[in-house]
C-alpha cells in the first residue's frame, strides 16, 4: 500500500516541489503526495499542487476561534483523507499538542539551521547575526515544542564572508531540497527508529 503524504505549506513551496519531484522520479518510493494544505489562500504551494492534480485545501485561521479548534478540524480532515504522514514545508503555524498527539511520530519538519541552534521563524538571519561560520538545515520529527523534536537528518554548510540572509537561505534551500526527500523516503520505508531524543536511521 502506498503511504499517503499530506504536505502543509504557507509559502512558495519549493520543498513541496522537491518532494513531488522525488515521488515522480522514484527517489521517494512507496508513497504518494495525496494532499496539500495551506493556511494562506494565495500560497504558491497550492498552485504547484494544482499543476500536478494533487488535492488542495485551505484552512483559514480567521474562521476558527482557537488554535486547537483549527487543529481539530485539520486533523479530522487529514484522517478523512487517510493520511499516513504529515510533512511541514514552510507551514508558519505551531501545531497544538492535540495535533501532535493525533499524528505522533508521523509529522516531519524542515528547519533552516543546525538545531538546536537558532529555532523559530528567523533561523537563517539569527545564525548570520550570531556570526556562526557553519550553519545548515535539519529535518526533525515534530513535537509540541518549537523545533524541538528528534533530529532525523542534518547537513552543514559554510557561511561565506559576504553572505546576506538571502544568499545564505538560497544555499540552504538547495540542501533542503536534497535532504527532505531523503528523510521522507526513510520514514515511508520504515527506516527510522526513535529512542528517546535520538532517531536512529536504519542503513542497509
Ligand atoms: C524553508 O527554508 C524551511 O526550512 C522553512 O521554511 C522554508 C520553506 O520554503 N521551514 P519553501 O516554501 O519550501 O520554499
Amino acid at each position: 500500500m502506498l503511504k499517503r503524504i499530506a504536505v502543509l505549506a504557507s509559502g512558495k513551496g519549493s520543498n513541496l516541489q522537491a518532494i513531488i519531484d522525488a515521488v515522480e522520479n522514484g527517489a521517494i518510493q512507496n508513497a504518494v503526495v495525496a494532499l496539500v494544505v495551506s493556511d494562506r489562500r494565495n500560497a504558491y504551494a497550492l498552485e504547484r499542487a494544482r499543476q500536478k492534480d494533487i488535492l488542495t485545501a485551505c484552512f483559514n485561521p480567521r474562521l476558527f476561534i482557537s488554535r486547537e479548534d483549527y487543529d481539530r478540524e485539520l486533523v479530522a480532515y487529514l484522517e478523512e483523507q487517510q493520511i499516513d504522514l504529515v510533512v511541514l514545508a514552510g507551514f508558519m503555524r505551531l501545531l497544538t499538542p492535540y495535533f501532535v498527539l493525533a499524528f505522533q511520530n508521523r509529522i516531519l519538519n524542515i528547519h533552516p539551521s543546525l538545531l538546536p541552534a537558532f529555532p523559530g521563524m528567523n533561523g537563517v538571519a539569527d545564525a548570520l547575526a550570531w556570526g556562526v561560520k557553519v550553519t545548515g538545515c535539519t529535518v526533525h520529527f515534530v513535537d509540541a515544542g518549537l523545533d524541538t523534536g528528534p533530529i532525523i537528518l542534518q547537513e552543514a554548510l559554510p557561511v561565506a564572508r559576504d553572505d546576506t540572509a538571502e544568499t545564505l537561505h538560497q544555499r540552504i534551500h538547495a540542501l533542503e531540497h536534497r535532504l527532505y526527500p531523503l528523510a521522507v523516503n526513510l520514514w515511508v520505508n520504515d527506516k527510522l527508529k526513535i529512542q528517546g531524543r535520538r532517531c536512529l536511521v536504519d542503513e542497509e
Side-chain angles (χ1 to χ4, degrees):
M1 272 278 272
L2 292 181
K3 289 276 170 16
R4 291 173 61 77
I5 299 173
V7 179
L8 275 49
S10 302
K12 66 183 168 89
S14 67
N15 280 287
L16 162 67
Q17 190 68 55
I19 289 165
I20 292 173
D21 293 348
V23 168
E24 268 182 14
N25 69 28
I28 296 176
Q29 292 192 341
N30 306 314
V32 59
V33 179
L35 171 67
V36 173
V37 176
S38 185
D39 56 334
R40 297 183 189 167
R41 200 165 40 91
N42 297 324
Y44 188 62
L46 291 175
E47 180 55 33
R48 290 183 195 267
R50 286 191 286 264
Q51 282 170 11
K52 294 286 178 179
D53 288 323
I54 296 168
L55 180 65
T56 61
C58 179
F59 280 69
N60 180 351
R62 292 198 194 149
L63 304 178
F64 298 86
I65 51 171
S66 67
R67 283 176 51 231
E68 180 160 325
D69 195 42
Y70 184 98
D71 280 5
R72 279 183 186 275
E73 289 263 343
L74 182 47
V75 163
Y77 183 59
L78 295 170
E79 282 169 350
E80 189 185 302
Q81 293 298 323
Q82 301 184 312
I83 295 303
D84 299 295
L85 176 68
V86 176
V87 172
L88 306 184
F91 190 59
M92 303 309 278
R93 292 175 64 82
L94 191 61
L95 305 185
T96 59
Y98 176 83
F99 192 134
V100 173
L101 204 66
F103 277 88
Q104 203 162 32
N105 300 337
R106 297 192 293 146
I107 313 169
L108 309 186
N109 185 40
I110 189 150
H111 182 76
S113 76
L114 293 175
L115 291 171
F118 312 113
M121 296 266 287
N122 301 308
V124 178
D126 291 348
L128 192 64
W130 192 265
V132 297
K133 304 297 187 203
V134 172
T135 185
C137 68
T138 305
V139 183
H140 63 95
F141 282 102
V142 173
D143 63 12
L146 181 62
D147 302 324
T148 50
I151 291 169
I152 301 169
L153 295 176
Q154 281 186 311
E155 200 163 315
L157 150 157
V159 178
R161 188 187 169 95
D162 56 354
D163 259 330
T164 62
E166 287 69 36
T167 58
L168 186 54
H169 205 162
Q170 245 173 27
R171 296 207 309 289
I172 291 175
H173 256 126
L175 281 188
E176 291 183 341
H177 298 160
R178 201 157 42 75
L179 216 60
Y180 217 178
L182 276 178
V184 169
N185 188 53
L186 289 170
W187 188 95
V188 165
N189 292 292
D190 209 16
K191 303 282 188 212
L192 302 175
K193 302 272 167 299
I194 300 181
Q195 287 183 1
R197 275 219 51 88
R198 298 185 71 198
C199 172
L200 306 180
V201 179
D202 214 2
E203 296 179 72
E204 279 155 18

